[in-house]
Amino acid sequence: MRRAFTLARRGEGRVEPNPMVGCVIVRGSRIVGEGYHRRFGSHHAEVYALRAAGRRAAAATAYVTLEPCGHTGKTPPCTDALIAAKVKYVVAAMSDPAPEVAGRGFRKLRAAGIEVRTGCLNDEARSLTRPYVTRLKLQRPYIILKWAQALDGWLSAPDGQRRQLTGQAAARIVHRLRARVDAIIVGASTAIVDNPLLTARDVPIKRIATRVILDSRLRIPPTLKLVRTAVQAPTIVFTQRSRDDHARAAQLLTQRGVEILPCKSRNQRIDLRDALHQLYQRGMSNVLVEAGPTLATAFLAADLADEVMCFVAPEALGREAKSVRFPARFAERFDISHHSADSDALFHAVRRSPVRT
């Protein structure tokens, strides 16, 4: 089963909004076939593993990280392939919470005389499927909240200016994230002050992330890099005002390829839940939020962060600078680990209680 999980992770960034799935076929004590879901719309893991096993799949055991599907979607049911191959046992790490699957796959297999066992490495399966389950249960993408700060906790200097704090190792981690997520969110202030591109560079590109700017007053200028490159990478601006309120600004942005979407407001700011639900409706599973102190605090306060990546540089910015405010009991609800990134430190927090199926 651990080999199946290793295989499954190869699909990260290519299979979403589907879950990552791996499958290993074992006959006796030997692996005779293995496979994983390679990209959205392609065959599922079981099919690739059965093809590799061929006739050796008969009377074998299939180890799969998620319940095999028993319905026809973009591909035929995996249960039919397992039954046709005459496997004897199916060991699954967890059931699939999708309504069209949930238990149906197991029932079809058992009805065909295949013995089914579930729950092997269930915690690992829940960790692997966090983005998939978050989409299903909460109707929003899985949120990775990231920022960089100085050792004294500040993200920007007292004058509000921000500069590069962390080194190349931290940058490589961020670019690998950008290369696999569906969208990257920044606030209008970050877009204006930092003028970022928000593209993945010098890493393998698994998908092109949509750049998303939260701009309640539609104040970003058309000279920003995000606007000038909108024809190269999809760019969305969420605003709480209608386009008619800022017709000239909207025209300048749309002429350059920016999509402007109205969003509900909450406390005179963009309603984060509404914005995330709109991204969910577009099929997005993983969203990276590259936040300044205000936006990071807002996501934490709204309990919308599923994962937090805080890079800490070994320097101080001084008093009266801006920092992220954590909600009470944050440490009780997240598992926190720390790692090194050359001279920088990375504090990584993952929600302790993922959405249960």
Side-chain angles (χ1 to χ4, degrees):
M1 185 65 82
R2 293 195 186 280
R3 173 60 180 168
F5 279 109
T6 298
L7 292 167
R9 292 186 182 92
R10 293 181 183 178
E12 185 178 56
R14 302 188 189 278
V15 304
E16 294 84 357
N18 284 350
M20 294 176 278
V21 181
C23 179
V24 174
I25 310 294
V26 176
R27 186 169 179 174
S29 59
R30 296 183 60 187
I31 293 177
V32 296
E34 59 183 31
Y36 64 97
H37 187 28
R38 298 179 183 180
R39 63 178 60 250
F40 181 72
S42 72
H43 293 296
H44 291 183
E46 298 92 326
V47 173
Y48 286 116
L50 290 170
R51 284 181 178 178
R55 294 180 180 179
R56 295 173 296 177
T61 300
Y63 292 86
V64 61
T65 59
L66 189 67
E67 176 183 3
C69 65
H71 69 291
T72 299
K74 290 186 176 294
T75 59
C78 293
T79 51
D80 291 2
L82 291 163
I83 292 168
K86 299 181 180 180
V87 301
K88 188 174 183 180
Y89 303 100
V90 170
V91 180
M94 67 176 280
S95 61
D96 190 330
E100 64 271 22
V101 182
R104 180 178 177 179
F106 292 151
R107 289 192 295 271
K108 287 186 67 173
L109 293 172
R110 288 179 174 126
I114 296 174
E115 184 175 333
V116 177
R117 301 173 185 173
T118 64
C120 178
L121 299 183
N122 183 260
D123 287 344
E124 287 85 344
R126 291 185 182 278
S127 177
L128 183 73
T129 57
R130 283 174 184 270
Y132 175 64
V133 174
T134 298
R135 266 188 57 83
L136 285 174
K137 297 296 184 179
L138 300 182
Q139 296 190 339
R140 66 162 175 82
Y142 182 83
I143 302 301
I144 305 167
L145 179 61
K146 167 263 171 187
W147 71 85
Q149 67 179 52
L151 190 60
D152 54 6
W154 308 121
L155 278 71
S156 58
D159 60 3
Q161 293 299 309
R162 288 196 291 272
R163 57 187 176 82
Q164 183 71 34
L165 288 172
T166 51
Q168 289 301 310
R172 284 194 297 272
I173 293 171
V174 173
H175 281 278
R176 284 197 292 267
L177 277 172
R178 289 179 178 179
R180 70 168 179 84
V181 297
D182 297 292
I184 304 166
I185 294 178
V186 294
S189 295
T190 294
I192 293 169
V193 174
D194 293 357
N195 194 19
L197 269 174
L198 299 182
T199 54
R201 298 181 292 280
D202 302 321
V203 294
I205 307 297
K206 298 181 177 181
R207 59 178 58 209
I208 303 297
T210 297
R211 289 93 57 89
V212 179
I213 307 167
L214 305 181
D215 186 0
S216 59
R217 292 176 289 170
L218 209 58
R219 60 192 176 94
I220 62 168
T223 54
L224 291 183
K225 293 176 184 177
L226 287 169
V227 178
R228 290 191 284 111
T229 59
V231 295
Q232 301 168 27
T235 306
I236 293 173
V237 174
F238 279 116
T239 180
Q240 68 183 32
R241 300 176 183 270
S242 69
R243 288 180 55 176
D244 294 337
D245 292 333
H246 295 283
R248 179 57 178 163
Q251 182 183 32
L252 290 173
L253 295 175
T254 55
Q255 283 177 345
R256 287 162 173 78
V258 175
E259 184 177 6
I260 300 174
L261 297 177
C263 194
K264 295 177 182 178
S265 63
R266 181 183 294 271
N267 300 324
Q268 298 184 331
R269 295 182 180 274
I270 295 290
D271 186 327
L272 297 178
R273 293 184 185 278
D274 183 44
L276 295 179
H277 184 69
Q278 291 191 51
L279 296 181
Y280 156 83
Q281 290 177 317
R282 291 174 173 240
M284 297 188 184
S285 295
N286 293 283
V287 170
L288 173 63
V289 181
E290 299 204 20
T294 301
L295 188 59
T297 298
F299 266 89
L300 291 170
D303 197 25
L304 290 173
D306 300 296
E307 198 169 325
V308 174
M309 301 182 72
C310 172
F311 292 92
V312 180
E315 61 177 288
L317 290 177
R319 299 180 180 178
E320 306 302 326
K322 295 183 178 179
S323 61
V324 176
R325 296 192 302 276
F326 283 86
R329 303 178 68 181
F330 174 86
E332 297 177 15
R333 294 185 288 114
F334 284 76
D335 287 318
I336 303 173
S337 59
H338 60 88
H339 317 270
S340 62
D342 287 346
S343 60
D344 303 313
L346 167 60
F347 289 86
H348 185 206
V350 179
R351 189 180 292 275
R352 183 168 294 162
S353 300
V355 179
R356 291 292 175 182
T357 58

